[in-house]
Amino acid sequence: MMSSGGYTSLDNQKVSGSVPAVSDPPHTTVQFTDSNLQTFPPSEAQGKISGGYRPPRDADDSFSKPVPGGSSDEPQSGGWLRMFKVAAYKPFFDVDTSDVLDRIKESLIPFRGSFSEKTATNPDLYGPFWICTTLIFVAAAIGTFVTYVAHKLQKKDWDYDINMITWSAGLFYGYATFVPLCLYVILKYFSAPSGLVQLLCLYGYSLFVFIPASCLSVVPVEEFRWVIAGVAGFMSATFVALNLRAHIMSAGERWFLIVLGIFLLQLALAVVLKLYLFTVTV
């Protein structure tokens, strides 16, 4: 017989007899557990990561600041022992080119007397170091060239003196280090203490005027060299004295003698520079 769907009931019986019907599986509910994955960046501080959506801090901070709650192989030292660490001097080299150029320009205008005020919050040692280093090689090179020209004009033999570099290095590095240190002790004695780094910064920049003065001393005229040395010494001495005058006045009635000593000592540096580097004997 034909069914309404086009198949015979006999065929249906044969098919149902040979292939047993499979019942539908029972309905099961699948539950997913919460994922352990975390979003990035984290919304809260975890471990050493400080705050979400913030850029990482400078890695060099690990040399200056101990990790909170962390253990370190080296004991944390403080007080005067900190001066033996490189990180203690890092803030004094945190200047850019524009800062150094502005301070050099300030040193070439000695009558303002505002250098100490402008550098009171951020004195640097970067500029003084490179000024002294440049001055050492410039003074030694120009001094050597001056003696060379003098010997050639007289048609005499000339020998290079290597001691000019070592002598100028001892002169400028020693002056820029020990004079501010002695002044620091003197001001502390007179109850008018000043920052040692600020004094080093002031004296370091005061030496810049001797760089162009050394270059001008190549002119083979003795009177002109004395004028150049005098002008450079006067500018440098005025720059230091005026910037320290307001501070030293708090030391009492002897402030004038201290300022006068600072002025004359800076002039003496110019005279020594002229006599030992730019005085030619053939």
Side-chain angles (χ1 to χ4, degrees):
M1 294 179 63
M2 297 292 296
S3 62
S4 61
Y7 296 95
T8 60
S9 60
L10 181 59
D11 293 334
N12 291 334
Q13 293 177 358
K14 290 181 179 179
V15 172
S16 61
S18 60
V19 180
V22 180
S23 59
D24 295 334
H27 180 71
T28 58
T29 302
V30 180
Q31 295 181 354
F32 294 94
T33 59
D34 294 337
S35 174
N36 292 325
L37 298 177
Q38 298 179 359
T39 58
F40 184 84
S43 58
E44 297 180 356
Q46 299 178 3
K48 295 182 180 179
I49 302 177
S50 56
Y53 305 101
R54 292 184 180 181
R57 294 176 60 85
D58 189 3
D60 291 340
D61 288 346
S62 59
F63 292 96
S64 57
K65 297 179 181 179
V67 179
S71 60
S72 176
D73 295 336
E74 298 181 359
Q76 297 293 336
S77 59
W80 64 274
L81 293 177
R82 190 171 179 267
M83 65 180 296
F84 295 101
K85 293 185 176 181
V86 177
Y89 302 94
K90 179 182 176 182
F92 305 124
F93 291 85
D94 187 17
V95 289
D96 53 20
T97 305
S98 60
D99 294 331
V100 175
L101 291 178
D102 290 340
R103 296 177 182 188
I104 289 175
K105 293 176 183 178
E106 192 77 17
S107 68
L108 296 177
I109 308 176
F111 297 100
R112 287 182 179 178
S114 58
F115 182 87
S116 295
E117 297 179 1
K118 294 181 179 180
T119 60
T121 58
N122 186 28
D124 72 288
L125 297 178
Y126 179 86
F129 172 77
W130 284 112
I131 288 174
C132 289
T133 304
T134 304
L135 182 57
I136 289 168
F137 287 98
V138 169
I142 298 298
T144 301
F145 181 73
V146 167
T147 57
Y148 171 79
V149 172
H151 281 76
K152 290 301 179 182
L153 291 177
Q154 297 293 331
K155 296 181 179 180
K156 293 184 178 181
D157 295 334
W158 172 80
D159 295 325
Y160 175 69
D161 187 8
I162 191 63
N163 293 324
M164 282 190 121
I165 294 181
T166 56
W167 189 90
S168 59
L171 173 65
F172 294 114
Y173 279 147
Y175 185 88
T177 302
F178 291 105
V179 172
L181 183 60
C182 293
L183 183 60
Y184 170 79
V185 175
I186 293 173
L187 293 180
K188 196 169 185 179
Y189 175 78
F190 285 101
S191 300
S194 179
L196 178 59
V197 177
Q198 191 169 0
L199 292 175
L200 292 171
C201 177
L202 176 65
Y203 270 87
Y205 281 99
S206 70
L207 299 179
F208 179 81
V209 69
F210 292 108
I211 296 179
S214 299
C215 296
L216 291 176
S217 297
V218 73
V219 178
V221 179
E222 191 68 15
E223 292 77 10
F224 179 78
R225 291 172 183 166
W226 273 111
V227 171
I228 291 298
V231 172
F234 178 79
M235 291 178 61
S236 180
T238 304
F239 171 73
V240 175
L242 290 182
N243 278 280
L244 289 176
R245 181 186 61 178
H247 179 76
I248 297 177
M249 288 178 67
S250 61
E253 298 178 355
R254 299 181 180 180
W255 71 269
F256 180 77
L257 297 177
I258 300 176
V259 174
L260 181 62
I262 293 172
F263 184 86
L264 295 178
L265 187 61
Q266 203 79 359
L267 282 179
L269 175 65
V271 174
V272 171
L273 181 63
K274 168 63 181 68
L275 292 176
Y276 285 90
L277 289 179
F278 300 106
T279 298
V280 182
T281 56
V282 181

